[in-house]
Amino acid sequence: MRIIAITGATGGIAQEIIKHVPEDDYVIALGRDLKKLKTHYGKRSNTEYFALDMSSDVAIAETVEKIYAIHGRVDIFINNAGYGDFSDFDTYTTAQIRDMFDINTFATMTFSRLVGQRMKEAGEGHIINIASIAGLIASAKSSVYSATKFAVIGFSNALRLELADSNVFVTTVNLGPIATKFFDKADPSGEYLKSVWRFVLQPEYVAKRTVAIFGKNKRELNMPWSLAAAQKAYTLFPRIADFLARKIFNYK
């Protein structure tokens, strides 16, 4: 039996991932709303759930201590919590920027550090950080969101190197737009989601591909393939890519 923990467990991606985890694996679902966690996972066998404030380092540390006190180990830890807000750069307040970094970046880093240390001591484990294609290719009106995900990817890449000799794997899952409630906040008008419909991923597809890499030494998983290819072109031809992103592919 593997012990699998996932943050942002009330979100659409997490729900779908947990749905595809084998029933004989033990799932620890972490999120802010205990009532929603109970609604989603109260009837699933081999499952427990904890509510915590993802912006609190103390709450995160206490949760990690609680998990290890009960189970003694975590085999796979998935940092999935996060949100977006696609606004002009000059409309954000400092508080809004800090809030997004707290959830998207700092919580991921804190969980990864604390769990990574335990996995290093155990000599095995797998940390999966759900990032974004926006952390590889920046676009207009995603300045803060892209920055949070660029940071997650950079941190994950360094962490992977530091844990490699300890048989602990670190994978970033970089996703394009997904048909979940993420865009209820990121794009309330719905116009962006309509304009990028050809790139939109279904949660079930994302979940199946993510579960398939559990325990595997995979550097990154990029979806969809079209945006993954665009990222390669962006690296090779940055000036052209900037022009296209600004003039032709700016859907926000």
Side-chain angles (χ1 to χ4, degrees):
M1 176 188 290
R2 297 175 299 183
I3 297 175
I4 301 165
I6 183 168
T7 67
T10 58
I13 298 175
Q15 290 179 50
E16 202 66 39
I17 288 174
I18 292 173
K19 188 186 301 183
H20 285 82
V21 169
E23 285 291 331
D24 56 354
D25 282 332
Y26 198 93
V27 171
I28 302 169
L30 307 173
R32 288 194 176 200
D33 192 321
L34 187 62
K35 185 177 180 180
K36 287 183 178 180
L37 290 169
K38 185 176 182 179
T39 298
H40 291 312
Y41 309 114
K43 296 182 180 179
R44 189 187 187 279
S45 60
N46 294 327
T47 305
E48 66 182 326
Y49 37 87
F50 299 119
L52 78 156
D53 178 1
M54 292 288 294
S55 66
S56 168
D57 290 343
V58 172
I60 291 173
E62 289 176 347
T63 300
V64 172
E65 288 292 334
K66 185 186 301 184
I67 291 171
Y68 275 88
I70 296 171
H71 300 284
R73 76 179 203 276
V74 173
D75 299 297
I76 299 163
F77 194 95
I78 307 167
N79 282 298
N80 168 71
Y83 70 95
D85 182 351
F86 298 151
S87 300
D88 291 319
F89 77 95
D90 52 358
T91 63
Y92 291 105
T93 65
T94 300
Q96 288 173 322
I97 294 171
R98 291 183 190 277
D99 286 346
M100 200 183 303
F101 267 92
D102 274 343
I103 304 303
N104 291 11
T105 309
F106 298 143
T108 291
M109 293 172 71
T110 302
F111 267 121
S112 295
R113 286 191 300 103
L114 298 177
V115 174
Q117 183 180 38
R118 303 271 193 157
M119 289 180 172
K120 180 179 179 180
E121 293 170 357
E124 60 182 348
H126 191 181
I127 296 171
I128 299 175
N129 291 333
I130 307 296
S132 173
I133 292 291
L136 297 171
I137 310 174
S139 60
K141 294 189 178 181
S142 67
S143 58
V144 178
Y145 180 70
S146 287
T148 66
K149 295 304 185 178
F150 266 91
V152 166
I153 293 171
F155 173 79
S156 300
N157 288 343
L159 186 65
R160 181 185 307 109
L161 301 177
E162 294 190 43
L163 292 175
D165 292 337
S166 300
N167 196 39
V168 178
F169 309 144
V170 179
T171 303
T172 55
V173 177
N174 304 314
L175 304 170
I178 308 171
T180 67
K181 292 183 178 181
F182 171 90
F183 286 99
D184 290 354
K185 179 175 180 61
D187 173 44
S189 71
E191 293 303 313
Y192 172 69
L193 202 57
K194 289 179 183 177
S195 66
V196 297
W197 63 268
R198 65 180 66 83
F199 303 119
V200 174
L201 297 161
Q202 294 303 312
E204 182 178 13
Y205 174 75
V206 172
K208 285 181 177 179
R209 292 203 62 190
T210 302
V211 171
I213 66 169
F214 281 5
K216 296 181 180 179
N217 189 10
K218 189 171 182 63
R219 186 179 190 278
E220 62 185 10
L221 180 62
N222 300 325
M223 295 178 267
W225 70 266
S226 54
L227 293 183
Q231 187 270 326
K232 299 296 184 185
Y234 183 89
T235 302
L236 293 171
F237 310 105
R239 291 175 65 88
I240 295 174
D242 275 356
F243 175 81
L244 294 175
R246 186 165 58 92
K247 293 293 187 179
I248 299 176
F249 301 125
N250 183 16
Y251 297 112
K252 295 188 185 74

